Every structure is written in C-alpha cells, then in structure tokens.
Amino acid sequence: MEIKFNESELAEVQMHIDKYPIKKSAIMPVLWMAQKKFGYISKEVMMFVGELLDLPYSHVYGVATFYTMYFKKPMGRHHVQVCTNVSCMLLKGDELFDSVSQRLGIKHNECDAEGKFSLEEVECMGACGGAPLLVINEDFYENVDIDKVNSILDSLN
Amino acid sequence: MTKNPKLVLPEIENYHSYSVYTANGGYNAARKALKQTQDEVINEVKASGLRGRGGACFPTGLKWSFMPKVSEKPKYLAINGDESEPGSFKDRQIFEFNPHGLIEGALIAGYAMGIKAAYIYIRGEYHKWVNCMQDAVDEAYAAGVVGEKMKATFGIDFAMDIYVHKGAGAYICGEETSLMNSMEGDRAYPRFKPPFPAQVGLWGCPTTVNNVETIATVPAIFNVGASEYAKLGAQGHAGTLLYGVSGHVNRPGVYELETGILLTDLIQDVCGGVKNNKRIKAIIPGGSSMPPLRGDEIEGIKMDEESLKKLGTHIGTAGVMVMDEDTDIVKVTLRIAHFYHHESCGQCTPCREGCGWMEKVLKRINKGDGTSQDLDLLLSVCDNIEGNTICALGDAAAWPIRGFILKFRDEFEAKVKKNRSFQALNVVHGRRESAKTLVFEN
C-alpha cells in the first residue's frame, strides 16, 4: 500500500495540529490515524508521519516504540487481547489466556499465518469489575469464561 | 443531605446526554461559580475539603491556588484520565455516565485559574470511552457552554476550550509530568520536580493536573455548597469516593459511597460478600501499588486516607482488590512485579533494573527454586528503588512487593522450602567458612 493520506485525512491531521500550540503534539493522534489506515507503524509510516509534522524519523521512532498500542509489525484482523493482571488473574484470566493461545496456536504478540488473529497478553485495561476480560480490537467483552470466549472467536471470520 | 448521596454518578437514565444533564440542573453549578470571583471559587473548593482522587489525596483548592495569578504565558489544565492502575476502573464510569459533569467541573476549575484550554488525557485502551467523552465535548460546544460562545451563554468575559487526547498504552502516562511530555509529543518520560507544573507545565506554561474524578466532583460542591460537602464522609478526607471493588466478591463494580465507610461493610453489604463464602486472605485497598492488608486485620478499618495511613497503606484510587483464602500470594506478587517491570519507562536505573530483578527473583521463588535469602534480597531491592527515582513509579513498585513479603512471609517461605531440603546461601566451595552459610531446613 502506498503510504499516503488523502485530502480528507490531511484535513483531519490539520484538525489535530490545531488542537495544540505546537505541531509536534499532534504526533499521537496522527500515529493513531496512520495505524488505522496502514495497519501498523512501519519504518515508512514513521518517516511519513515525520514529514507531516516536521519531525525527524528518530523522534517518531522514539514515540512510536514507547507505546505498546502502536503496532510495530503487522497484526491480525482480529487483535485478541486477554488481561492477566491481578483482578483478572484472581478470576482465572491467566488460564483463559493459555487456552486462547492454544486454540489460536500463537503466543503473546504473535500473529497467525493467515493474518486473521493476533494475540496479546495485556496489562490492566480498566475492567477489573468485569474480570476476566477479553478485548477484540476495540470491543470489550467482560465477565467471560472459556466457553464464551470460544463462541466469540467462532463467530469471527 | 441523605447518606451516601450520588454526586458524581447520579442514577439517572441518559445522564450522559446534554439535554438530560441540563434538565437535572446541569451547568447550574458553573453558572453559580462563574458569577463569583476567582478567589471565591478557589476558597469554596478549599472549604469543601476536596482532596485529589488520583491517589495522592492532595487538597484540590490548595493545588489550584499554586497557579500564578498573572502570567504572560497561557495557562493550561490537564485532566488525568489515564487510569492505568490495576484495580482502578472508576474514571471510565464518568466518561460513560457523567461526561458533562467533567466538562462542567473543568469550566469551574478553568475559570478559577484563568485557564486557556483544558486537555482530557484518556488512556488508549478506552476506545469507546474516548468517543463518549468526545461526543459530550462536541455537544457542549454545540450548546455554547464551551469555547468562544460561552462568553454569551454565561455572560462573562471568559472562554476556554476543551480537547480530548487519546493515549496509546503506557501506565507511566498517569504520572503528571509524564502525561505532559506525552501530550507535548515526546516519549512519556517523567520530569524532575521542581519546577512544578504550576510554574513550568505543558509547553512550558503554568499547568494544573487534576484527576478526572476530582474535576467531576467540583460541580457537586457548588450544587450542595462547600460547607455541606465538607460534612460528608470522614474527617480530613471529605466527600464521596468511587470505590472500584474487584476480585473475589459476589458483586464487583464501582460504587459511589462516602469516605470512611467500613471496609467490611463495603465487602459484605455493598458487594455481597466473598464468593462461595470463603474467608479473605488479603486486600489491596487502593490499586496495585498500595501495600496490602491481611484478611485478619480488616475488622474496623475505615476507607479514608487518614485511617489507612495509620495502617501503613493508602486509599490510592480506591480500587479495592479482594483475595480469598485460596489465593496464591506469591503468584499475585509476581504478577504485580511483572506489571511494574513492563511499565517502568526505563529512565531511572533503580526502577528499570530493580523492577526487572524483583520479577526474576519472584519467578525463581514461585517456581520453587528460591532461597530464604531471596526474600531479604527482594526487600533490599525495594529499599534501593524507593525514593531513588524521578517519579513515584519506583515507589509504587516497591510498596506492594515489600508489603506482601512483610505480611505474608510464611507463604513465601513455604514455596522456598517446598522443593529444598537444604539451601546453600553462599556457594563458595572448598572454603571452611562457607560451611556456616549452609542452612538446613526441613
């Protein structure tokens, strides 16, 4: 895919720039936009974002690699996240992660060969009252168990 | 006032929408506050006894008074909704159910300090709740209560903007100086203090950083009056708190109750008791970085900062994690250590390396390969992290590890002894002195 934004996307970039007193501050929202469009933040994407915001590649690299939610490699269409932090672990979130990992045949931060699923063992996502938690892309599924998770995964294509 | 009033999360349907919010008296607090002078507003907040809800419990009115009255540079308000503390999930409720309360609180805070713009920093994982908040901000702009139009709406010569900023997954961004670096577009490394944010904050300008719950509580103070608000809850820590209870309880969730409620009441009456009627082994009272309490010492404990401080722990974010008698404390401690190792930003050596070593040593103990000396090693690593780092993440990592070892040492020792009939504490062979460091344990 060509690393380029269309006109309406460039207008959105400008809207983000206008929110802050300096251009550099728009880097996080622009990286989010780039990830949504290009799937992950490759070296080319980082250079492109740098050009948009007049920042050196090294700076964009520094920021993009600091945050876990900017993917540095291609991830699956369905990014499956299971929390294993304390509140979820107390309600067997760690066993849930192992079972999902076994079912998908991939480990933490891996993507399957078809690019359908990727898996991440996440830290607390702020759903402790609904533990254990499964997140697929941006959707939270709270109070899940192994059966529920399996049926959710079955429903995805 | 009734007991345990719902000030921050009223139980009203569709309260998140502008029309329902205003139909229930929304933005009246701002109308009232914006007619007073700036000092009067700050004094009102001081008189209410409101303390920060982000964990440090700093008096809010006092914090506001630190902002310079006259400044050549614009002043900013940063609202901290990074909420990444394990066990804490209260701000999310505000984004979803009372976003206009947050906006109204921001207007009052902004007016009191002469703020040009407020930025609400929301953690990246909260995709849905970022959208909830952005929708509410858009509604507020359209209704003319934020931005240039608010001058006409409120009939005053003051206007401020509100923006929503989305994070991207870093616990450290909940630390105020790191949050500012993140928002400025740099890596989120914490900064040295001083200079404090009120002098040099966002983009080098005077800035106040407040927690989401703190700001969302401000309208309530002006609605009920500071003196009434100050009467709520425990002495020295007034008001209501959003308690987030998780773990082995029958009804986990976020509950708005007054400060100073009995911990046992919170668990038994509010949350329906422990699952399967088991006994409690441990409780973390305020998010994973706070030292734990033993299940046999919770009788009579009140949930407010002053009461908990006497017991060597803190109210933190009021994220209560309950663990039943079957919980493997070593595993919990290891999980907490893993979290802080993962989230250390890497700037200060004691935290970056120390958190890594704590995790390694705890892994070893959890597998049954540890020695009794490892426990003292862990305590010494805690001592060497605490107080030796730029920000409080180091302390936050050290406190629970030390707390668990001191309060549950028997559990750690049991794991150490399980697989070992003897332990060589100092493996230097061929020297007679080394014999005395051989400890035999059965």
Side-chain angles (χ1 to χ4, degrees), chain B residues 155-223:
Chain B
I156 48 159
D157 186 28
F158 168 78
M160 72 181 265
D161 285 306
I162 296 181
Y163 302 106
V164 177
H165 181 98
K166 185 180 183 182
Y171 171 72
I172 190 66
C173 292
E175 199 280 335
E176 59 176 8
T177 58
S178 144
L179 179 143
M180 296 192 294
N181 272 345
S182 174
M183 206 129 63
E184 286 186 24
D186 291 318
R187 268 167 295 166
Y189 280 165
R191 304 174 185 171
F192 272 111
K193 290 188 277 191
F196 288 95
Q199 279 87 48
V200 183
L202 277 170
W203 302 289
C205 305
T207 301
T208 292
V209 187
N210 280 137
N211 180 261
V212 165
E213 189 187 341
T214 314
I215 294 291
T217 304
V218 170
I221 293 170
F222 288 85
N223 282 331

Side-chain angles (χ1 to χ4, degrees), chain B residues 217-261:
Chain B
T217 304
V218 170
I221 293 170
F222 288 85
N223 282 331
V224 302
S227 54
E228 280 299 305
Y229 187 85
K231 283 182 204 153
L232 290 171
Q235 215 173 16
H237 192 188
T240 60
L241 278 183
L242 300 184
Y243 295 95
V245 189
S246 63
H248 296 134
V249 288
N250 283 319
R251 288 196 298 273
V254 174
Y255 300 96
E256 182 176 2
L257 301 161
E258 287 179 35
T259 54
I261 184 182

